[in-house]
């Protein structure tokens, strides 16, 4: 049973752990071991190809590594890259926030030295990278259900309840199953509006994979994936 956080959107999700992975080419690893001449550089962090920080000119013996992928771990990566640069001043790391799928595609094409994704590369994707691949699990995060129900705090939804909400079986906040899980809480007879990601995403894949694992009905009717045919609700970016 989960306690849900109140937000501005009536979103139904769940609490679980997702792992952000990074794929690194063997060539990039070899570059790191080269020259160690001092360099006063800083980490570049890009968003939609816009440079967020700047750096001085790079000397000839410096190493520049370029990565791209998921926005979620970007701040953590920035901290790591800055600390790494203190130990290896000649290494400059650039990271572009373009999304998990795009990061993997750029890595496969050789556009970047490493890519970051909320989901690991498949064997088929790895086979496309002739220069070799190392996949490393680096970060963890929680996906949580959020809701907007004025006057109601610390709402609790057992697994069967939130699964039935997403299956369109529970349509109102004062449904007997929700009342039973929240004794003493006055729940209004208001319709539940499910809001989900309209675009394909690894977040959706993690969430629907969980629903498929706990509900045979969900698994047979909807299944899991980065983009699924939702039973109920509206899509939002």
């Amino acid at each position: 049973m989960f306690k849900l956080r109140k937000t501005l959107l009536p979103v139904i999700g769940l609490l679980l752990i997702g792992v952000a992975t990074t794929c690194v080419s063997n060539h990039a690893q070899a570059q790191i071991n080269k020259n160690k001449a001092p360099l006063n550089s800083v980490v570049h962090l890009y968003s939609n190809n816009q440079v967020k920080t700047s750096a001085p000119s790079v000397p000839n013996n410096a190493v520049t590594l370029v990565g791209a992928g998921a926005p979620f771990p970007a701040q953590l990566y920035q901290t790591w890259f800055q600390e790494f640069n203190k130990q290896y001043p000649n290494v400059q790391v650039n990271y572009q926030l373009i999304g998990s799928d795009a990061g993997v595609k750029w890595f496969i094409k050789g556009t970047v030295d490493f890519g970051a994704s909320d989901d690991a590369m498949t064997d088929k994707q790895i086979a496309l990278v002739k220069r070799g691949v190392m996949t490393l699990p680096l970060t963890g995060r929680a996906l949580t259900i959020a809701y907007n129900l004025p006057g109601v705090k610390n709402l609790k939804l057992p697994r069967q309840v939130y699964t039935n909400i997403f299956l369109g079986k529970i349509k109102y906040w004062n449904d007997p199953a929700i009342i039973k899980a929240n004794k003493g809480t006055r729940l209004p007879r208001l319709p539940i509006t499910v809001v989900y990601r309209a675009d394909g995403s690894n977040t959706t894949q993690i969430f629907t994979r969980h629903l498929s694992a706990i509900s045979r009905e969900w698994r047979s009717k909807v299944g899991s994936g980065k983009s699924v045919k939702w039973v109920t609700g509206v899509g939002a970016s």
Side-chain angles (χ1 to χ4, degrees):
M1 185 178 295
F2 299 99
K3 289 186 177 181
L4 307 184
R5 186 177 62 185
K6 182 176 179 182
T7 68
L8 296 178
L9 290 177
V11 181
I12 303 300
L14 78 160
L15 181 66
L16 58 107
I17 296 299
V19 177
T21 61
T22 293
C23 37
V24 184
S25 68
N26 293 333
H27 173 68
Q29 180 64 40
Q31 280 188 293
I32 296 176
N33 297 324
K34 289 185 179 180
N35 301 317
K36 297 183 180 179
L39 167 64
N40 295 321
S41 63
V42 296
V43 174
H44 282 194
L45 194 60
Y46 293 73
S47 177
N48 296 326
N49 295 326
Q50 297 297 314
V51 178
K52 291 300 183 183
T53 58
S54 60
S57 59
V58 181
N60 294 331
N61 59 355
V63 175
T64 298
L65 299 176
V66 180
F72 159 66
Q75 288 187 330
L76 179 60
Y77 288 172
Q78 183 182 34
T79 300
W80 286 350
F81 297 156
Q82 289 172 340
E83 292 301 314
F84 185 83
N85 180 252
K86 292 177 183 178
Q87 298 183 45
Y88 300 92
N90 67 314
V91 179
Q92 179 177 335
V93 185
N94 302 334
Y95 184 70
Q96 300 184 35
L97 286 67
I98 61 173
S100 293
D101 286 354
V104 171
K105 289 178 181 178
W106 281 25
F107 177 74
I108 291 174
K109 291 180 180 179
T111 306
V112 293
D113 297 303
F114 66 93
S117 172
D118 291 338
D119 204 15
M121 292 178 69
T122 64
D123 291 340
K124 184 177 180 180
Q125 289 173 324
I126 291 175
L128 296 174
V129 186
K130 303 303 181 183
R131 63 192 186 280
V133 179
M134 290 186 293
T135 57
L136 308 171
L138 296 178
T139 63
R141 67 169 174 173
L143 302 182
T144 184
I145 299 173
Y147 73 97
N148 177 31
L149 189 58
V152 178
K153 298 181 179 180
N154 300 319
L155 187 69
K156 301 173 184 176
L157 297 180
R159 282 184 170 184
Q160 188 61 49
V161 172
Y162 65 69
T163 300
N164 283 338
I165 289 175
F166 278 97
L167 284 170
K169 292 183 173 182
I170 294 179
K171 301 179 182 295
Y172 291 90
W173 288 109
N174 68 340
D175 186 275
I178 301 179
I179 292 176
K180 182 179 179 181
N182 296 271
K183 294 180 179 180
T185 300
R186 182 175 297 179
L187 297 170
R189 183 171 176 75
L190 293 174
I192 298 174
T193 301
V194 173
V195 179
Y196 54 82
R197 283 281 294 268
D199 56 330
S201 72
N202 284 306
T203 301
T204 298
Q205 179 164 289
I206 294 170
F207 180 54
T208 55
R209 186 183 295 163
H210 167 79
L211 291 177
S212 294
I214 66 173
S215 170
R216 182 178 300 176
E217 183 177 1
W218 179 273
R219 184 166 62 250
S220 63
K221 288 185 176 180
V222 184
S224 62
K226 295 180 180 180
S227 181
V228 299
K229 187 175 181 180
W230 296 89
V231 177
T232 185
V234 295
S237 300

PDB file of all heavy atoms in Angstrom, residues 157-185:
ATOM      1  N   LEU A 157      -3.588   3.823  -1.693  1.00  0.00           N
ATOM      2  CA  LEU A 157      -4.179   2.965  -2.713  1.00  0.00           C
ATOM      3  C   LEU A 157      -3.442   1.629  -2.743  1.00  0.00           C
ATOM      4  O   LEU A 157      -2.269   1.578  -3.099  1.00  0.00           O
ATOM      5  CB  LEU A 157      -4.084   3.613  -4.102  1.00  0.00           C
ATOM      6  CG  LEU A 157      -4.820   4.931  -4.333  1.00  0.00           C
ATOM      7  CD1 LEU A 157      -4.610   5.404  -5.760  1.00  0.00           C
ATOM      8  CD2 LEU A 157      -6.300   4.784  -4.029  1.00  0.00           C
ATOM      9  N   PRO A 158      -4.109   0.544  -2.365  1.00  0.00           N
ATOM     10  CA  PRO A 158      -3.496  -0.780  -2.494  1.00  0.00           C
ATOM     11  C   PRO A 158      -3.264  -1.111  -3.969  1.00  0.00           C
ATOM     12  O   PRO A 158      -3.841  -0.480  -4.861  1.00  0.00           O
ATOM     13  CB  PRO A 158      -4.548  -1.710  -1.873  1.00  0.00           C
ATOM     14  CG  PRO A 158      -5.388  -0.822  -1.016  1.00  0.00           C
ATOM     15  CD  PRO A 158      -5.422   0.497  -1.723  1.00  0.00           C
ATOM     16  N   ARG A 159      -2.460  -2.107  -4.229  1.00  0.00           N
ATOM     17  CA  ARG A 159      -2.135  -2.477  -5.608  1.00  0.00           C
ATOM     18  C   ARG A 159      -3.372  -2.751  -6.454  1.00  0.00           C
ATOM     19  O   ARG A 159      -3.483  -2.285  -7.587  1.00  0.00           O
ATOM     20  CB  ARG A 159      -1.230  -3.713  -5.617  1.00  0.00           C
ATOM     21  CG  ARG A 159       0.218  -3.426  -5.287  1.00  0.00           C
ATOM     22  CD  ARG A 159       1.046  -4.688  -5.419  1.00  0.00           C
ATOM     23  NE  ARG A 159       2.467  -4.394  -5.335  1.00  0.00           N
ATOM     24  CZ  ARG A 159       3.424  -5.309  -5.497  1.00  0.00           C
ATOM     25  NH1 ARG A 159       3.091  -6.569  -5.735  1.00  0.00           N
ATOM     26  NH2 ARG A 159       4.691  -4.968  -5.422  1.00  0.00           N
ATOM     27  N   GLN A 160      -4.297  -3.543  -5.906  1.00  0.00           N
ATOM     28  CA  GLN A 160      -5.476  -3.897  -6.681  1.00  0.00           C
ATOM     29  C   GLN A 160      -6.302  -2.669  -7.030  1.00  0.00           C
ATOM     30  O   GLN A 160      -6.906  -2.585  -8.108  1.00  0.00           O
ATOM     31  CB  GLN A 160      -6.340  -4.897  -5.899  1.00  0.00           C
ATOM     32  CG  GLN A 160      -7.498  -5.476  -6.700  1.00  0.00           C
ATOM     33  CD  GLN A 160      -7.024  -6.244  -7.923  1.00  0.00           C
ATOM     34  OE1 GLN A 160      -6.136  -7.081  -7.829  1.00  0.00           O
ATOM     35  NE2 GLN A 160      -7.613  -5.956  -9.084  1.00  0.00           N
ATOM     36  N   VAL A 161      -6.302  -1.686  -6.122  1.00  0.00           N
ATOM     37  CA  VAL A 161      -7.088  -0.477  -6.347  1.00  0.00           C
ATOM     38  C   VAL A 161      -6.500   0.356  -7.479  1.00  0.00           C
ATOM     39  O   VAL A 161      -7.201   0.747  -8.416  1.00  0.00           O
ATOM     40  CB  VAL A 161      -7.191   0.365  -5.059  1.00  0.00           C
ATOM     41  CG1 VAL A 161      -7.845   1.713  -5.355  1.00  0.00           C
ATOM     42  CG2 VAL A 161      -8.002  -0.381  -4.004  1.00  0.00           C
ATOM     43  N   TYR A 162      -5.185   0.660  -7.418  1.00  0.00           N
ATOM     44  CA  TYR A 162      -4.657   1.521  -8.483  1.00  0.00           C
ATOM     45  C   TYR A 162      -4.592   0.785  -9.817  1.00  0.00           C
ATOM     46  O   TYR A 162      -4.700   1.399 -10.876  1.00  0.00           O
ATOM     47  CB  TYR A 162      -3.320   2.160  -8.109  1.00  0.00           C
ATOM     48  CG  TYR A 162      -2.117   1.279  -7.900  1.00  0.00           C
ATOM     49  CD1 TYR A 162      -1.506   0.612  -8.948  1.00  0.00           C
ATOM     50  CD2 TYR A 162      -1.539   1.172  -6.637  1.00  0.00           C
ATOM     51  CE1 TYR A 162      -0.373  -0.156  -8.755  1.00  0.00           C
ATOM     52  CE2 TYR A 162      -0.409   0.410  -6.430  1.00  0.00           C
ATOM     53  CZ  TYR A 162       0.178  -0.255  -7.493  1.00  0.00           C
ATOM     54  OH  TYR A 162       1.307  -1.011  -7.289  1.00  0.00           O
ATOM     55  N   THR A 163      -4.472  -0.540  -9.774  1.00  0.00           N
ATOM     56  CA  THR A 163      -4.537  -1.294 -11.031  1.00  0.00           C
ATOM     57  C   THR A 163      -5.921  -1.162 -11.651  1.00  0.00           C
ATOM     58  O   THR A 163      -6.062  -0.936 -12.865  1.00  0.00           O
ATOM     59  CB  THR A 163      -4.215  -2.778 -10.789  1.00  0.00           C
ATOM     60  OG1 THR A 163      -2.905  -2.899 -10.248  1.00  0.00           O
ATOM     61  CG2 THR A 163      -4.288  -3.557 -12.097  1.00  0.00           C
ATOM     62  N   ASN A 164      -6.969  -1.268 -10.831  1.00  0.00           N
ATOM     63  CA  ASN A 164      -8.336  -1.146 -11.340  1.00  0.00           C
ATOM     64  C   ASN A 164      -8.653   0.277 -11.795  1.00  0.00           C
ATOM     65  O   ASN A 164      -9.501   0.478 -12.670  1.00  0.00           O
ATOM     66  CB  ASN A 164      -9.335  -1.599 -10.278  1.00  0.00           C
ATOM     67  CG  ASN A 164      -9.412  -3.111 -10.170  1.00  0.00           C
ATOM     68  OD1 ASN A 164      -9.066  -3.827 -11.107  1.00  0.00           O
ATOM     69  ND2 ASN A 164      -9.848  -3.609  -9.016  1.00  0.00           N
ATOM     70  N   ILE A 165      -7.983   1.263 -11.214  1.00  0.00           N
ATOM     71  CA  ILE A 165      -8.156   2.636 -11.697  1.00  0.00           C
ATOM     72  C   ILE A 165      -7.637   2.734 -13.127  1.00  0.00           C
ATOM     73  O   ILE A 165      -8.291   3.280 -14.017  1.00  0.00           O
ATOM     74  CB  ILE A 165      -7.427   3.637 -10.780  1.00  0.00           C
ATOM     75  CG1 ILE A 165      -8.153   3.759  -9.442  1.00  0.00           C
ATOM     76  CG2 ILE A 165      -7.335   5.013 -11.456  1.00  0.00           C
ATOM     77  CD1 ILE A 165      -7.443   4.635  -8.428  1.00  0.00           C
ATOM     78  N   PHE A 166      -6.456   2.180 -13.368  1.00  0.00           N
ATOM     79  CA  PHE A 166      -5.884   2.234 -14.709  1.00  0.00           C
ATOM     80  C   PHE A 166      -6.622   1.332 -15.692  1.00  0.00           C
ATOM     81  O   PHE A 166      -6.566   1.559 -16.902  1.00  0.00           O
ATOM     82  CB  PHE A 166      -4.401   1.870 -14.665  1.00  0.00           C
ATOM     83  CG  PHE A 166      -3.528   3.019 -14.274  1.00  0.00           C
ATOM     84  CD1 PHE A 166      -3.112   3.178 -12.966  1.00  0.00           C
ATOM     85  CD2 PHE A 166      -3.141   3.967 -15.208  1.00  0.00           C
ATOM     86  CE1 PHE A 166      -2.321   4.250 -12.594  1.00  0.00           C
ATOM     87  CE2 PHE A 166      -2.357   5.043 -14.855  1.00  0.00           C
ATOM     88  CZ  PHE A 166      -1.939   5.191 -13.544  1.00  0.00           C
ATOM     89  N   LEU A 167      -7.312   0.329 -15.182  1.00  0.00           N
ATOM     90  CA  LEU A 167      -8.119  -0.529 -16.045  1.00  0.00           C
ATOM     91  C   LEU A 167      -9.495   0.068 -16.302  1.00  0.00           C
ATOM     92  O   LEU A 167     -10.301  -0.498 -17.045  1.00  0.00           O
ATOM     93  CB  LEU A 167      -8.272  -1.915 -15.405  1.00  0.00           C
ATOM     94  CG  LEU A 167      -7.045  -2.831 -15.488  1.00  0.00           C
ATOM     95  CD1 LEU A 167      -7.245  -4.067 -14.620  1.00  0.00           C
ATOM     96  CD2 LEU A 167      -6.767  -3.235 -16.940  1.00  0.00           C
ATOM     97  N   GLY A 168      -9.778   1.216 -15.681  1.00  0.00           N
ATOM     98  CA  GLY A 168     -11.054   1.884 -15.891  1.00  0.00           C
ATOM     99  C   GLY A 168     -12.197   1.293 -15.091  1.00  0.00           C
ATOM    100  O   GLY A 168     -13.363   1.643 -15.310  1.00  0.00           O
ATOM    101  N   LYS A 169     -11.899   0.430 -14.136  1.00  0.00           N
ATOM    102  CA  LYS A 169     -12.943  -0.205 -13.331  1.00  0.00           C
ATOM    103  C   LYS A 169     -13.374   0.675 -12.161  1.00  0.00           C
ATOM    104  O   LYS A 169     -14.532   0.633 -11.740  1.00  0.00           O
ATOM    105  CB  LYS A 169     -12.453  -1.560 -12.813  1.00  0.00           C
ATOM    106  CG  LYS A 169     -12.263  -2.612 -13.890  1.00  0.00           C
ATOM    107  CD  LYS A 169     -11.855  -3.936 -13.265  1.00  0.00           C
ATOM    108  CE  LYS A 169     -11.813  -5.050 -14.294  1.00  0.00           C
ATOM    109  NZ  LYS A 169     -11.469  -6.360 -13.670  1.00  0.00           N
ATOM    110  N   ILE A 170     -12.442   1.411 -11.590  1.00  0.00           N
ATOM    111  CA  ILE A 170     -12.752   2.352 -10.512  1.00  0.00           C
ATOM    112  C   ILE A 170     -12.754   3.746 -11.119  1.00  0.00           C
ATOM    113  O   ILE A 170     -11.728   4.216 -11.611  1.00  0.00           O
ATOM    114  CB  ILE A 170     -11.725   2.247  -9.370  1.00  0.00           C
ATOM    115  CG1 ILE A 170     -11.832   0.876  -8.698  1.00  0.00           C
ATOM    116  CG2 ILE A 170     -11.934   3.364  -8.355  1.00  0.00           C
ATOM    117  CD1 ILE A 170     -10.846   0.660  -7.560  1.00  0.00           C
ATOM    118  N   LYS A 171     -13.904   4.403 -11.070  1.00  0.00           N
ATOM    119  CA  LYS A 171     -14.075   5.668 -11.791  1.00  0.00           C
ATOM    120  C   LYS A 171     -14.248   6.881 -10.880  1.00  0.00           C
ATOM    121  O   LYS A 171     -14.120   8.015 -11.335  1.00  0.00           O
ATOM    122  CB  LYS A 171     -15.286   5.565 -12.724  1.00  0.00           C
ATOM    123  CG  LYS A 171     -15.178   4.433 -13.752  1.00  0.00           C
ATOM    124  CD  LYS A 171     -16.415   4.371 -14.628  1.00  0.00           C
ATOM    125  CE  LYS A 171     -16.336   3.214 -15.620  1.00  0.00           C
ATOM    126  NZ  LYS A 171     -15.240   3.408 -16.595  1.00  0.00           N
ATOM    127  N   TYR A 172     -14.565   6.656  -9.592  1.00  0.00           N
ATOM    128  CA  TYR A 172     -14.806   7.777  -8.680  1.00  0.00           C
ATOM    129  C   TYR A 172     -13.945   7.643  -7.428  1.00  0.00           C
ATOM    130  O   TYR A 172     -13.622   6.535  -6.991  1.00  0.00           O
ATOM    131  CB  TYR A 172     -16.289   7.843  -8.287  1.00  0.00           C
ATOM    132  CG  TYR A 172     -17.189   8.239  -9.436  1.00  0.00           C
ATOM    133  CD1 TYR A 172     -17.736   7.271 -10.273  1.00  0.00           C
ATOM    134  CD2 TYR A 172     -17.481   9.580  -9.691  1.00  0.00           C
ATOM    135  CE1 TYR A 172     -18.552   7.626 -11.340  1.00  0.00           C
ATOM    136  CE2 TYR A 172     -18.299   9.944 -10.751  1.00  0.00           C
ATOM    137  CZ  TYR A 172     -18.826   8.966 -11.575  1.00  0.00           C
ATOM    138  OH  TYR A 172     -19.627   9.324 -12.631  1.00  0.00           O
ATOM    139  N   TRP A 173     -13.608   8.815  -6.850  1.00  0.00           N
ATOM    140  CA  TRP A 173     -12.745   8.826  -5.676  1.00  0.00           C
ATOM    141  C   TRP A 173     -13.414   8.223  -4.447  1.00  0.00           C
ATOM    142  O   TRP A 173     -12.723   7.805  -3.515  1.00  0.00           O
ATOM    143  CB  TRP A 173     -12.303  10.261  -5.368  1.00  0.00           C
ATOM    144  CG  TRP A 173     -11.304  10.791  -6.350  1.00  0.00           C
ATOM    145  CD1 TRP A 173     -11.505  11.747  -7.297  1.00  0.00           C
ATOM    146  CD2 TRP A 173      -9.940  10.375  -6.488  1.00  0.00           C
ATOM    147  NE1 TRP A 173     -10.359  11.955  -8.026  1.00  0.00           N
ATOM    148  CE2 TRP A 173      -9.372  11.129  -7.546  1.00  0.00           C
ATOM    149  CE3 TRP A 173      -9.144   9.444  -5.827  1.00  0.00           C
ATOM    150  CZ2 TRP A 173      -8.055  10.981  -7.954  1.00  0.00           C
ATOM    151  CZ3 TRP A 173      -7.819   9.296  -6.228  1.00  0.00           C
ATOM    152  CH2 TRP A 173      -7.291  10.054  -7.279  1.00  0.00           C
ATOM    153  N   ASN A 174     -14.743   8.177  -4.413  1.00  0.00           N
ATOM    154  CA  ASN A 174     -15.425   7.582  -3.259  1.00  0.00           C
ATOM    155  C   ASN A 174     -15.833   6.135  -3.532  1.00  0.00           C
ATOM    156  O   ASN A 174     -16.779   5.624  -2.929  1.00  0.00           O
ATOM    157  CB  ASN A 174     -16.641   8.416  -2.857  1.00  0.00           C
ATOM    158  CG  ASN A 174     -17.755   8.376  -3.904  1.00  0.00           C
ATOM    159  OD1 ASN A 174     -17.508   8.045  -5.070  1.00  0.00           O
ATOM    160  ND2 ASN A 174     -18.969   8.713  -3.491  1.00  0.00           N
ATOM    161  N   ASP A 175     -15.121   5.476  -4.419  1.00  0.00           N
ATOM    162  CA  ASP A 175     -15.365   4.057  -4.664  1.00  0.00           C
ATOM    163  C   ASP A 175     -15.163   3.282  -3.352  1.00  0.00           C
ATOM    164  O   ASP A 175     -14.260   3.599  -2.564  1.00  0.00           O
ATOM    165  CB  ASP A 175     -14.392   3.545  -5.727  1.00  0.00           C
ATOM    166  CG  ASP A 175     -14.682   2.114  -6.143  1.00  0.00           C
ATOM    167  OD1 ASP A 175     -14.200   1.188  -5.447  1.00  0.00           O
ATOM    168  OD2 ASP A 175     -15.373   1.924  -7.151  1.00  0.00           O
ATOM    169  N   PRO A 176     -16.000   2.273  -3.081  1.00  0.00           N
ATOM    170  CA  PRO A 176     -15.884   1.503  -1.833  1.00  0.00           C
ATOM    171  C   PRO A 176     -14.479   0.962  -1.569  1.00  0.00           C
ATOM    172  O   PRO A 176     -14.041   0.907  -0.409  1.00  0.00           O
ATOM    173  CB  PRO A 176     -16.888   0.364  -2.044  1.00  0.00           C
ATOM    174  CG  PRO A 176     -17.930   0.961  -2.942  1.00  0.00           C
ATOM    175  CD  PRO A 176     -17.167   1.854  -3.879  1.00  0.00           C
ATOM    176  N   ALA A 177     -13.758   0.577  -2.616  1.00  0.00           N
ATOM    177  CA  ALA A 177     -12.408   0.029  -2.426  1.00  0.00           C
ATOM    178  C   ALA A 177     -11.444   1.100  -1.920  1.00  0.00           C
ATOM    179  O   ALA A 177     -10.561   0.825  -1.100  1.00  0.00           O
ATOM    180  CB  ALA A 177     -11.897  -0.563  -3.737  1.00  0.00           C
ATOM    181  N   ILE A 178     -11.605   2.341  -2.391  1.00  0.00           N
ATOM    182  CA  ILE A 178     -10.745   3.434  -1.926  1.00  0.00           C
ATOM    183  C   ILE A 178     -11.136   3.844  -0.512  1.00  0.00           C
ATOM    184  O   ILE A 178     -10.276   4.121   0.331  1.00  0.00           O
ATOM    185  CB  ILE A 178     -10.830   4.641  -2.884  1.00  0.00           C
ATOM    186  CG1 ILE A 178     -10.400   4.234  -4.295  1.00  0.00           C
ATOM    187  CG2 ILE A 178      -9.947   5.782  -2.384  1.00  0.00           C
ATOM    188  CD1 ILE A 178     -10.471   5.359  -5.316  1.00  0.00           C
ATOM    189  N   ILE A 179     -12.445   3.865  -0.235  1.00  0.00           N
ATOM    190  CA  ILE A 179     -12.919   4.198   1.112  1.00  0.00           C
ATOM    191  C   ILE A 179     -12.384   3.197   2.131  1.00  0.00           C
ATOM    192  O   ILE A 179     -11.933   3.566   3.219  1.00  0.00           O
ATOM    193  CB  ILE A 179     -14.463   4.225   1.146  1.00  0.00           C
ATOM    194  CG1 ILE A 179     -14.983   5.411   0.318  1.00  0.00           C
ATOM    195  CG2 ILE A 179     -14.969   4.312   2.583  1.00  0.00           C
ATOM    196  CD1 ILE A 179     -16.494   5.462   0.211  1.00  0.00           C
ATOM    197  N   LYS A 180     -12.402   1.924   1.778  1.00  0.00           N
ATOM    198  CA  LYS A 180     -11.932   0.874   2.683  1.00  0.00           C
ATOM    199  C   LYS A 180     -10.464   1.057   3.039  1.00  0.00           C
ATOM    200  O   LYS A 180     -10.042   0.785   4.170  1.00  0.00           O
ATOM    201  CB  LYS A 180     -12.149  -0.493   2.035  1.00  0.00           C
ATOM    202  CG  LYS A 180     -11.742  -1.661   2.919  1.00  0.00           C
ATOM    203  CD  LYS A 180     -12.011  -2.988   2.224  1.00  0.00           C
ATOM    204  CE  LYS A 180     -11.590  -4.160   3.101  1.00  0.00           C
ATOM    205  NZ  LYS A 180     -11.839  -5.466   2.418  1.00  0.00           N
ATOM    206  N   ALA A 181      -9.671   1.523   2.082  1.00  0.00           N
ATOM    207  CA  ALA A 181      -8.233   1.710   2.319  1.00  0.00           C
ATOM    208  C   ALA A 181      -7.922   3.022   3.032  1.00  0.00           C
ATOM    209  O   ALA A 181      -6.788   3.243   3.458  1.00  0.00           O
ATOM    210  CB  ALA A 181      -7.483   1.659   0.991  1.00  0.00           C
ATOM    211  N   ASN A 182      -8.920   3.895   3.154  1.00  0.00           N
ATOM    212  CA  ASN A 182      -8.704   5.213   3.763  1.00  0.00           C
ATOM    213  C   ASN A 182      -9.791   5.505   4.796  1.00  0.00           C
ATOM    214  O   ASN A 182     -10.513   6.504   4.705  1.00  0.00           O
ATOM    215  CB  ASN A 182      -8.695   6.297   2.680  1.00  0.00           C
ATOM    216  CG  ASN A 182      -7.550   6.147   1.709  1.00  0.00           C
ATOM    217  OD1 ASN A 182      -6.464   6.669   1.920  1.00  0.00           O
ATOM    218  ND2 ASN A 182      -7.787   5.411   0.629  1.00  0.00           N
ATOM    219  N   LYS A 183      -9.916   4.635   5.772  1.00  0.00           N
ATOM    220  CA  LYS A 183     -10.948   4.779   6.798  1.00  0.00           C
ATOM    221  C   LYS A 183     -10.773   6.090   7.556  1.00  0.00           C
ATOM    222  O   LYS A 183      -9.675   6.473   7.936  1.00  0.00           O
ATOM    223  CB  LYS A 183     -10.880   3.597   7.763  1.00  0.00           C
ATOM    224  CG  LYS A 183     -11.243   2.266   7.106  1.00  0.00           C
ATOM    225  CD  LYS A 183     -11.166   1.120   8.099  1.00  0.00           C
ATOM    226  CE  LYS A 183     -11.551  -0.196   7.433  1.00  0.00           C
ATOM    227  NZ  LYS A 183     -11.480  -1.349   8.378  1.00  0.00           N
ATOM    228  N   GLY A 184     -11.887   6.783   7.748  1.00  0.00           N
ATOM    229  CA  GLY A 184     -11.854   8.054   8.459  1.00  0.00           C
ATOM    230  C   GLY A 184     -11.616   9.247   7.553  1.00  0.00           C
ATOM    231  O   GLY A 184     -11.668  10.393   8.005  1.00  0.00           O
ATOM    232  N   THR A 185     -11.354   9.000   6.272  1.00  0.00           N
ATOM    233  CA  THR A 185     -11.128  10.090   5.316  1.00  0.00           C
ATOM    234  C   THR A 185     -12.385  10.314   4.491  1.00  0.00           C
ATOM    235  O   THR A 185     -12.952   9.364   3.943  1.00  0.00           O
ATOM    236  CB  THR A 185      -9.959   9.756   4.365  1.00  0.00           C
ATOM    237  OG1 THR A 185      -8.775   9.553   5.134  1.00  0.00           O
ATOM    238  CG2 THR A 185      -9.725  10.892   3.384  1.00  0.00           C
TER     239      THR A 185
END
